[in-house]
Amino acid sequence: MRLDIVIAGVGGQGNVLASRILARAAMEVGLPVRTSEVIGMAQREGAVMSQVRMGAGDYSALIPNGQADVLLGLELAETVRAVTKLKKGAVVIANSATIYPVSVSLGFSSYHPEQLTAFLKERTDSLYLFDATSLANQAGTYKATNMVMLGALSVLDLLPYSADHLRAVMEDVIPPRLREMNLTAFALGRQAVGGA
């Protein structure tokens, strides 16, 4: 069994934490795992891409273009940027919320969410698109967007371990003072794609 997951977002969204939770959950069930992160020049709101590869075989930590099974997109434009990583039939779970880059704020470039959404719908076979940031805010903070996305992923029967196992790893990794908020975000993500 092999599963390649790309997580695309911007700095401050918890991209790296989400990849570490997925990887640790896989290791705990005895699967080999390799991970990689590409972090933008700005810590906050710079592009961040994490790659998690789990399962047997001889492979590097970097997922070649056209090979990813799953794309978790924490920010709309970064999701579009990562589409080249997907294989045919891959699943995309994307946050419809946007974070405008500084170049847009300064008037040097433009950002058109409706065009990005249309592109995703046209270029992907299996798309789950919803406002994960809004759900994270409902749980208590936008910073829990990553947990909303993990919750959504846990419903789709793609992971080589159960949703309960993923949730238990998450509970262990998250500091106690933030645990309840993140568990709520996880549950809201499950509900967003039809899970209980």
Side-chain angles (χ1 to χ4, degrees):
M1 185 265 147
R2 280 279 301 284
L3 184 68
D4 290 343
I5 302 171
V6 171
I7 307 171
V10 298
Q13 289 189 296
N15 188 316
V16 174
L17 176 61
S19 71
R20 290 184 179 156
I21 290 170
L22 288 168
R24 180 170 158 187
M27 287 187 289
E28 287 186 3
V29 297
L31 288 172
V33 179
R34 290 184 175 82
T35 63
S36 172
E37 280 94 27
V38 177
I39 299 172
M41 294 302 288
Q43 284 111 356
R44 287 271 174 225
E45 299 180 6
V48 179
M49 181 185 289
S50 297
Q51 301 176 46
V52 181
R53 308 190 80 184
M54 52 184 86
D58 220 5
Y59 52 91
S60 79
L62 297 175
I63 300 171
N65 285 347
Q67 295 298 309
D69 301 293
V70 178
L71 169 58
L72 290 183
L74 303 182
E75 195 281 330
L76 190 59
E78 295 307 322
T79 303
V80 167
R81 194 186 318 267
V83 163
T84 58
K85 288 286 184 190
L86 299 176
K87 66 168 57 166
K88 187 164 178 52
V91 172
V92 178
I93 304 169
N95 184 3
S96 62
T98 58
I99 298 174
Y100 293 102
V102 172
S103 61
V104 171
S105 301
L106 295 174
F108 297 132
S109 63
S110 58
Y111 191 121
H112 304 285
E114 62 287 339
Q115 291 176 3
L116 297 171
T117 300
F119 177 88
L120 281 176
K121 288 178 178 176
E122 179 185 306
R123 298 290 176 97
T124 58
D125 298 320
S126 182
L127 174 64
Y128 297 86
L129 180 68
F130 59 94
D131 190 341
T133 302
S134 202
L135 294 175
N137 279 326
Q138 189 179 326
T141 178
Y142 73 93
K143 292 180 181 180
T145 300
N146 55 354
M147 297 306 134
V148 170
M149 301 302 277
L150 289 182
L153 175 61
S154 75
V155 172
L156 301 180
D157 200 30
L158 298 167
L159 296 169
Y161 40 77
S162 70
D164 288 341
H165 178 65
L166 181 62
R167 186 178 185 272
V169 169
M170 189 185 86
E171 282 185 76
D172 191 48
V173 170
I174 302 290
R177 65 186 173 79
L178 303 173
R179 196 169 290 145
E180 196 56 44
M181 185 180 343
N182 282 279
L183 289 173
T184 299
F186 186 83
L188 289 170
R190 287 182 59 79
Q191 291 170 16
V193 293

PDB file of all heavy atoms in Angstrom, residues 142-161:
ATOM      1  N   TYR A 142      -8.757  30.559  13.511  1.00  0.00           N
ATOM      2  CA  TYR A 142      -8.424  30.228  12.120  1.00  0.00           C
ATOM      3  C   TYR A 142      -7.212  29.310  12.045  1.00  0.00           C
ATOM      4  O   TYR A 142      -7.003  28.604  11.055  1.00  0.00           O
ATOM      5  CB  TYR A 142      -8.177  31.508  11.308  1.00  0.00           C
ATOM      6  CG  TYR A 142      -6.877  32.197  11.643  1.00  0.00           C
ATOM      7  CD1 TYR A 142      -5.721  31.921  10.927  1.00  0.00           C
ATOM      8  CD2 TYR A 142      -6.794  33.103  12.702  1.00  0.00           C
ATOM      9  CE1 TYR A 142      -4.516  32.534  11.246  1.00  0.00           C
ATOM     10  CE2 TYR A 142      -5.610  33.718  13.029  1.00  0.00           C
ATOM     11  CZ  TYR A 142      -4.468  33.434  12.301  1.00  0.00           C
ATOM     12  OH  TYR A 142      -3.276  34.033  12.623  1.00  0.00           O
ATOM     13  N   LYS A 143      -6.395  29.308  13.092  1.00  0.00           N
ATOM     14  CA  LYS A 143      -5.181  28.480  13.104  1.00  0.00           C
ATOM     15  C   LYS A 143      -5.493  26.988  13.120  1.00  0.00           C
ATOM     16  O   LYS A 143      -4.611  26.171  12.908  1.00  0.00           O
ATOM     17  CB  LYS A 143      -4.303  28.841  14.305  1.00  0.00           C
ATOM     18  CG  LYS A 143      -3.701  30.224  14.207  1.00  0.00           C
ATOM     19  CD  LYS A 143      -2.845  30.518  15.409  1.00  0.00           C
ATOM     20  CE  LYS A 143      -2.252  31.912  15.314  1.00  0.00           C
ATOM     21  NZ  LYS A 143      -1.416  32.231  16.477  1.00  0.00           N
ATOM     22  N   ALA A 144      -6.745  26.630  13.354  1.00  0.00           N
ATOM     23  CA  ALA A 144      -7.141  25.216  13.354  1.00  0.00           C
ATOM     24  C   ALA A 144      -7.609  24.747  11.976  1.00  0.00           C
ATOM     25  O   ALA A 144      -8.151  23.653  11.835  1.00  0.00           O
ATOM     26  CB  ALA A 144      -8.228  24.976  14.400  1.00  0.00           C
ATOM     27  N   THR A 145      -7.369  25.552  10.948  1.00  0.00           N
ATOM     28  CA  THR A 145      -7.748  25.159   9.583  1.00  0.00           C
ATOM     29  C   THR A 145      -7.125  23.820   9.209  1.00  0.00           C
ATOM     30  O   THR A 145      -7.753  22.975   8.577  1.00  0.00           O
ATOM     31  CB  THR A 145      -7.330  26.252   8.569  1.00  0.00           C
ATOM     32  OG1 THR A 145      -7.984  27.471   8.904  1.00  0.00           O
ATOM     33  CG2 THR A 145      -7.687  25.867   7.148  1.00  0.00           C
ATOM     34  N   ASN A 146      -5.877  23.604   9.634  1.00  0.00           N
ATOM     35  CA  ASN A 146      -5.212  22.336   9.323  1.00  0.00           C
ATOM     36  C   ASN A 146      -5.963  21.143   9.916  1.00  0.00           C
ATOM     37  O   ASN A 146      -6.070  20.086   9.287  1.00  0.00           O
ATOM     38  CB  ASN A 146      -3.755  22.358   9.788  1.00  0.00           C
ATOM     39  CG  ASN A 146      -3.582  22.693  11.255  1.00  0.00           C
ATOM     40  OD1 ASN A 146      -4.534  23.037  11.970  1.00  0.00           O
ATOM     41  ND2 ASN A 146      -2.358  22.619  11.742  1.00  0.00           N
ATOM     42  N   MET A 147      -6.536  21.303  11.102  1.00  0.00           N
ATOM     43  CA  MET A 147      -7.267  20.204  11.730  1.00  0.00           C
ATOM     44  C   MET A 147      -8.623  19.974  11.063  1.00  0.00           C
ATOM     45  O   MET A 147      -9.098  18.848  10.977  1.00  0.00           O
ATOM     46  CB  MET A 147      -7.440  20.459  13.234  1.00  0.00           C
ATOM     47  CG  MET A 147      -6.134  20.519  13.994  1.00  0.00           C
ATOM     48  SD  MET A 147      -5.096  19.056  13.738  1.00  0.00           S
ATOM     49  CE  MET A 147      -3.518  19.804  13.446  1.00  0.00           C
ATOM     50  N   VAL A 148      -9.222  21.051  10.566  1.00  0.00           N
ATOM     51  CA  VAL A 148     -10.459  20.902   9.777  1.00  0.00           C
ATOM     52  C   VAL A 148     -10.163  20.030   8.563  1.00  0.00           C
ATOM     53  O   VAL A 148     -10.904  19.095   8.241  1.00  0.00           O
ATOM     54  CB  VAL A 148     -11.001  22.286   9.331  1.00  0.00           C
ATOM     55  CG1 VAL A 148     -12.136  22.119   8.324  1.00  0.00           C
ATOM     56  CG2 VAL A 148     -11.459  23.104  10.527  1.00  0.00           C
ATOM     57  N   MET A 149      -9.044  20.320   7.890  1.00  0.00           N
ATOM     58  CA  MET A 149      -8.684  19.570   6.689  1.00  0.00           C
ATOM     59  C   MET A 149      -8.356  18.113   7.004  1.00  0.00           C
ATOM     60  O   MET A 149      -8.725  17.215   6.247  1.00  0.00           O
ATOM     61  CB  MET A 149      -7.507  20.252   5.982  1.00  0.00           C
ATOM     62  CG  MET A 149      -7.793  21.682   5.562  1.00  0.00           C
ATOM     63  SD  MET A 149      -9.215  21.860   4.473  1.00  0.00           S
ATOM     64  CE  MET A 149      -8.455  21.474   2.920  1.00  0.00           C
ATOM     65  N   LEU A 150      -7.669  17.862   8.121  1.00  0.00           N
ATOM     66  CA  LEU A 150      -7.394  16.475   8.507  1.00  0.00           C
ATOM     67  C   LEU A 150      -8.692  15.742   8.818  1.00  0.00           C
ATOM     68  O   LEU A 150      -8.848  14.566   8.480  1.00  0.00           O
ATOM     69  CB  LEU A 150      -6.441  16.417   9.705  1.00  0.00           C
ATOM     70  CG  LEU A 150      -4.992  16.807   9.440  1.00  0.00           C
ATOM     71  CD1 LEU A 150      -4.162  16.652  10.715  1.00  0.00           C
ATOM     72  CD2 LEU A 150      -4.388  15.997   8.299  1.00  0.00           C
ATOM     73  N   GLY A 151      -9.632  16.426   9.448  1.00  0.00           N
ATOM     74  CA  GLY A 151     -10.931  15.820   9.717  1.00  0.00           C
ATOM     75  C   GLY A 151     -11.637  15.424   8.430  1.00  0.00           C
ATOM     76  O   GLY A 151     -12.173  14.315   8.305  1.00  0.00           O
ATOM     77  N   ALA A 152     -11.612  16.320   7.440  1.00  0.00           N
ATOM     78  CA  ALA A 152     -12.235  16.026   6.148  1.00  0.00           C
ATOM     79  C   ALA A 152     -11.561  14.823   5.490  1.00  0.00           C
ATOM     80  O   ALA A 152     -12.233  13.909   4.996  1.00  0.00           O
ATOM     81  CB  ALA A 152     -12.163  17.251   5.239  1.00  0.00           C
ATOM     82  N   LEU A 153     -10.240  14.794   5.505  1.00  0.00           N
ATOM     83  CA  LEU A 153      -9.495  13.674   4.918  1.00  0.00           C
ATOM     84  C   LEU A 153      -9.842  12.354   5.602  1.00  0.00           C
ATOM     85  O   LEU A 153      -9.978  11.315   4.948  1.00  0.00           O
ATOM     86  CB  LEU A 153      -7.989  13.949   4.997  1.00  0.00           C
ATOM     87  CG  LEU A 153      -7.054  12.823   4.546  1.00  0.00           C
ATOM     88  CD1 LEU A 153      -7.293  12.471   3.076  1.00  0.00           C
ATOM     89  CD2 LEU A 153      -5.604  13.214   4.783  1.00  0.00           C
ATOM     90  N   SER A 154     -10.031  12.395   6.913  1.00  0.00           N
ATOM     91  CA  SER A 154     -10.269  11.162   7.675  1.00  0.00           C
ATOM     92  C   SER A 154     -11.579  10.473   7.304  1.00  0.00           C
ATOM     93  O   SER A 154     -11.750   9.288   7.540  1.00  0.00           O
ATOM     94  CB  SER A 154     -10.247  11.458   9.182  1.00  0.00           C
ATOM     95  OG  SER A 154     -11.435  12.115   9.593  1.00  0.00           O
ATOM     96  N   VAL A 155     -12.505  11.200   6.692  1.00  0.00           N
ATOM     97  CA  VAL A 155     -13.808  10.636   6.303  1.00  0.00           C
ATOM     98  C   VAL A 155     -13.709   9.825   5.019  1.00  0.00           C
ATOM     99  O   VAL A 155     -14.481   8.893   4.807  1.00  0.00           O
ATOM    100  CB  VAL A 155     -14.841  11.776   6.099  1.00  0.00           C
ATOM    101  CG1 VAL A 155     -16.142  11.263   5.507  1.00  0.00           C
ATOM    102  CG2 VAL A 155     -15.103  12.498   7.402  1.00  0.00           C
ATOM    103  N   LEU A 156     -12.776  10.150   4.160  1.00  0.00           N
ATOM    104  CA  LEU A 156     -12.792   9.667   2.779  1.00  0.00           C
ATOM    105  C   LEU A 156     -12.210   8.271   2.567  1.00  0.00           C
ATOM    106  O   LEU A 156     -12.058   7.828   1.437  1.00  0.00           O
ATOM    107  CB  LEU A 156     -12.096  10.680   1.875  1.00  0.00           C
ATOM    108  CG  LEU A 156     -12.737  12.068   1.883  1.00  0.00           C
ATOM    109  CD1 LEU A 156     -11.977  13.001   0.963  1.00  0.00           C
ATOM    110  CD2 LEU A 156     -14.199  11.997   1.476  1.00  0.00           C
ATOM    111  N   ASP A 157     -11.857   7.569   3.605  1.00  0.00           N
ATOM    112  CA  ASP A 157     -11.385   6.191   3.507  1.00  0.00           C
ATOM    113  C   ASP A 157     -10.179   6.060   2.573  1.00  0.00           C
ATOM    114  O   ASP A 157     -10.092   5.131   1.771  1.00  0.00           O
ATOM    115  CB  ASP A 157     -12.538   5.278   3.058  1.00  0.00           C
ATOM    116  CG  ASP A 157     -12.267   3.817   3.411  1.00  0.00           C
ATOM    117  OD1 ASP A 157     -11.579   3.576   4.416  1.00  0.00           O
ATOM    118  OD2 ASP A 157     -12.722   2.933   2.659  1.00  0.00           O
ATOM    119  N   LEU A 158      -9.264   7.003   2.663  1.00  0.00           N
ATOM    120  CA  LEU A 158      -8.053   6.975   1.847  1.00  0.00           C
ATOM    121  C   LEU A 158      -6.818   6.616   2.663  1.00  0.00           C
ATOM    122  O   LEU A 158      -5.854   6.081   2.127  1.00  0.00           O
ATOM    123  CB  LEU A 158      -7.829   8.356   1.212  1.00  0.00           C
ATOM    124  CG  LEU A 158      -8.915   8.855   0.269  1.00  0.00           C
ATOM    125  CD1 LEU A 158      -8.730  10.333  -0.031  1.00  0.00           C
ATOM    126  CD2 LEU A 158      -8.921   8.041  -1.007  1.00  0.00           C
ATOM    127  N   LEU A 159      -6.857   6.914   3.946  1.00  0.00           N
ATOM    128  CA  LEU A 159      -5.698   6.707   4.811  1.00  0.00           C
ATOM    129  C   LEU A 159      -5.555   5.227   5.185  1.00  0.00           C
ATOM    130  O   LEU A 159      -6.552   4.518   5.301  1.00  0.00           O
ATOM    131  CB  LEU A 159      -5.836   7.557   6.076  1.00  0.00           C
ATOM    132  CG  LEU A 159      -5.829   9.071   5.857  1.00  0.00           C
ATOM    133  CD1 LEU A 159      -6.228   9.812   7.129  1.00  0.00           C
ATOM    134  CD2 LEU A 159      -4.458   9.531   5.375  1.00  0.00           C
ATOM    135  N   PRO A 160      -4.332   4.794   5.422  1.00  0.00           N
ATOM    136  CA  PRO A 160      -4.108   3.393   5.793  1.00  0.00           C
ATOM    137  C   PRO A 160      -4.301   3.135   7.291  1.00  0.00           C
ATOM    138  O   PRO A 160      -3.779   2.171   7.839  1.00  0.00           O
ATOM    139  CB  PRO A 160      -2.660   3.164   5.376  1.00  0.00           C
ATOM    140  CG  PRO A 160      -2.016   4.499   5.534  1.00  0.00           C
ATOM    141  CD  PRO A 160      -3.082   5.510   5.187  1.00  0.00           C
ATOM    142  N   TYR A 161      -5.023   4.001   7.948  1.00  0.00           N
ATOM    143  CA  TYR A 161      -5.353   3.854   9.361  1.00  0.00           C
ATOM    144  C   TYR A 161      -6.701   4.530   9.590  1.00  0.00           C
ATOM    145  O   TYR A 161      -7.196   5.275   8.753  1.00  0.00           O
ATOM    146  CB  TYR A 161      -4.270   4.443  10.279  1.00  0.00           C
ATOM    147  CG  TYR A 161      -3.686   5.755   9.797  1.00  0.00           C
ATOM    148  CD1 TYR A 161      -4.376   6.957   9.943  1.00  0.00           C
ATOM    149  CD2 TYR A 161      -2.431   5.792   9.191  1.00  0.00           C
ATOM    150  CE1 TYR A 161      -3.847   8.151   9.504  1.00  0.00           C
ATOM    151  CE2 TYR A 161      -1.898   6.991   8.737  1.00  0.00           C
ATOM    152  CZ  TYR A 161      -2.602   8.161   8.905  1.00  0.00           C
ATOM    153  OH  TYR A 161      -2.073   9.348   8.461  1.00  0.00           O
TER     154      TYR A 161
END
